[in-house]
Amino acid sequence: MVYNRMKVLSVAELNVWKCDEDTEAPSDTEESAVDVSFDEGHSDADCADADGDLGHPGHARSSSTGSSGHGVGDPSSGSSAVVGVAGASVPTLLQQSPLAEQFAAAFRAPSRGLKAVFLDYDGTLREFDARPELAVPTAEVHRLLSTLNRREDLLVHIVSGRDAQFLNAHLGCYERLVLIAEHERRVAGRFQVWRQEADVHGSREVDQDWRAAVRFEMSRCTDGLVGSQVEEKATSLVWHFRGVDDEAAAEAAAKNLAGRLSQLLNAQRLRDVKVSRHSKTVEVSCRNGTKGQVLRRICDSRAASGEPFEAVLVAGDDVSDEAMFEAGGGDGFLTIKVGFGSTGAKHCVDSPAQLRHFLWRCLAP
């Protein structure tokens, strides 16, 4: 059986994920995919039933620009490339960029080739919530995704730290969206692939050992700070403290926790298990890849097949998204950080709402 999403994936892209074009099962072993299974997914109508009318809202006016990378064509119609502002640490406000309309027009215009969008979810497409399970897509987000899903010249990727179950449950109704869960280990939903990585020191027992020790340390913090919680994923454990009222105490606890966890993992010589601080979280993960490597593989595979993306829009808000900004650093790319601060993105907006406004601007005048 060939899934609907295969209509927009080239053979080269299928090879990236080691998935056969005419089979519904990934080419990896049954055992490697055993802990996640999905149904055939849903339709846009299912999303409409759950979240109300998916009609077209009013469009806010925003702006943005492009920069460039590998496997991508120039989004402008002329000979000059769309370029970003020099100085990676000083992004330009999207609404102040003189090239924003040029890039938006390139996305609006119908084309014979594909254009790509790579979006983080939490803090980028959707605002944060005190508890991560509550940050489900709003009616506005569903309207936007439904419109993106209907554009046959766009290939939209949601590259998120969320687990595959969450992405499939809330975004699996959009058959043309590529859902990449836990940053890069899984492609969720109907086109689901488990990319097997080397086990930490080749042992599931070792994996459980680090999980048990990390879970204990995180639970100690949860017991001491009301409003914090531990989230378990297939490749990581995450301590969330967005719901803690005393922000100073939570930040201090996060700093101490990250230090203790680093010492713990170093003592066990677990080089492939990493501790990282993100927005109101401390995460311990066993990952060998980055979001940037995912983006490069997808873009390069299209270039190798002779069908490079005509333009690429990349947006994210967190440290893990910086790898995508770096990978999308050449002509034909528009990189946008949601929020402020030092970043490799060429442009920034101050909120997910502003990003959504610009995405609407890219879809219709």
Side-chain angles (χ1 to χ4, degrees), residues 249-328:
E251 290 289 348
K255 181 178 179 180
N256 290 334
L257 175 62
R260 293 200 308 273
L261 292 173
S262 294
Q263 293 177 354
L264 176 67
L265 298 177
N266 288 336
Q268 295 187 21
R269 300 180 183 274
L270 296 175
R271 294 182 297 274
D272 295 325
V273 183
K274 301 176 178 60
V275 180
S276 54
R277 290 279 307 273
H278 301 288
S279 177
K280 306 295 184 181
T281 64
V282 176
E283 180 176 25
V284 178
S285 60
C286 178
R287 298 192 185 105
N288 295 325
T290 67
K291 288 187 178 184
Q293 289 170 335
V294 173
L295 184 149
R296 286 286 299 274
R297 281 200 299 268
I298 293 173
C299 291
D300 288 351
S301 72
R302 289 206 60 90
S305 70
E307 300 175 337
F309 291 124
E310 294 187 357
V312 178
L313 187 155
V314 182
D317 72 298
D318 205 355
V319 174
S320 62
D321 300 309
E322 292 297 322
M324 289 201 297
F325 300 151
E326 181 180 359

Side-chain angles (χ1 to χ4, degrees), residues 185 194-203 207 272 286-288:
R185 277 196 74 180
W194 172 271
R195 297 184 60 256
Q196 182 139 14
E197 297 172 352
D199 290 337
V200 181
H201 291 226
S203 169
D207 177 69
D272 295 325
C286 178
R287 298 192 185 105
N288 295 325

Side-chain angles (χ1 to χ4, degrees), residues 133-279:
E133 66 271 18
L134 300 180
V136 300
T138 62
E140 181 199 354
V141 170
H142 275 304
R143 287 193 296 267
L144 176 60
L145 291 178
S146 180
T147 304
L148 289 168
N149 187 59
R150 291 195 295 267
R151 280 281 300 269
E152 294 189 358
D153 62 332
L154 292 183
L155 185 56
V156 180
H157 308 75
I158 306 298
V159 190
S160 173
R162 291 283 189 161
D163 62 30
Q165 287 93 336
F166 179 93
L167 291 185
N168 188 66
H170 297 287
L171 304 180
C173 51
Y174 304 110
E175 63 181 13
R176 298 187 69 254
L177 263 62
V178 179
L179 307 177
I180 304 174
E182 299 187 43
H183 296 165
E184 69 98 21
R185 277 196 74 180
R186 304 163 183 257
V187 178
R190 292 165 299 283
F191 181 51
Q192 179 228 338
V193 177
W194 172 271
R195 297 184 60 256
Q196 182 139 14
E197 297 172 352
D199 290 337
V200 181
H201 291 226
S203 169
R204 288 180 180 266
E205 288 74 17
V206 171
D207 177 69
Q208 294 306 313
D209 284 348
W210 76 256
R211 279 181 171 274
V214 168
R215 189 183 298 109
F216 175 77
E217 292 294 335
M218 289 184 173
S219 296
R220 289 175 58 191
C221 289
T222 301
D223 293 339
L225 284 172
V226 176
S228 66
Q229 65 182 111
V230 179
E231 179 185 11
E232 298 213 21
K233 302 179 182 180
T235 60
S236 66
L237 288 170
V238 187
W239 182 62
H240 295 266
F241 58 93
R242 191 171 301 279
V244 177
D245 292 333
D246 190 338
E247 186 172 348
E251 290 289 348
K255 181 178 179 180
N256 290 334
L257 175 62
R260 293 200 308 273
L261 292 173
S262 294
Q263 293 177 354
L264 176 67
L265 298 177
N266 288 336
Q268 295 187 21
R269 300 180 183 274
L270 296 175
R271 294 182 297 274
D272 295 325
V273 183
K274 301 176 178 60
V275 180
S276 54
R277 290 279 307 273
H278 301 288
S279 177

Side-chain angles (χ1 to χ4, degrees), residues 1-7 14 19-26 38-42 175 189-192:
M1 174 180 180
V2 179
Y3 291 120
N4 290 337
R5 186 172 292 125
M6 298 308 178
K7 292 185 297 186
L14 296 173
C19 182
D20 297 331
E21 183 176 8
D22 296 320
T23 61
E24 59 181 301
F38 299 111
D39 58 22
E40 286 282 313
H42 316 284
E175 63 181 13
R190 292 165 299 283
F191 181 51
Q192 179 228 338

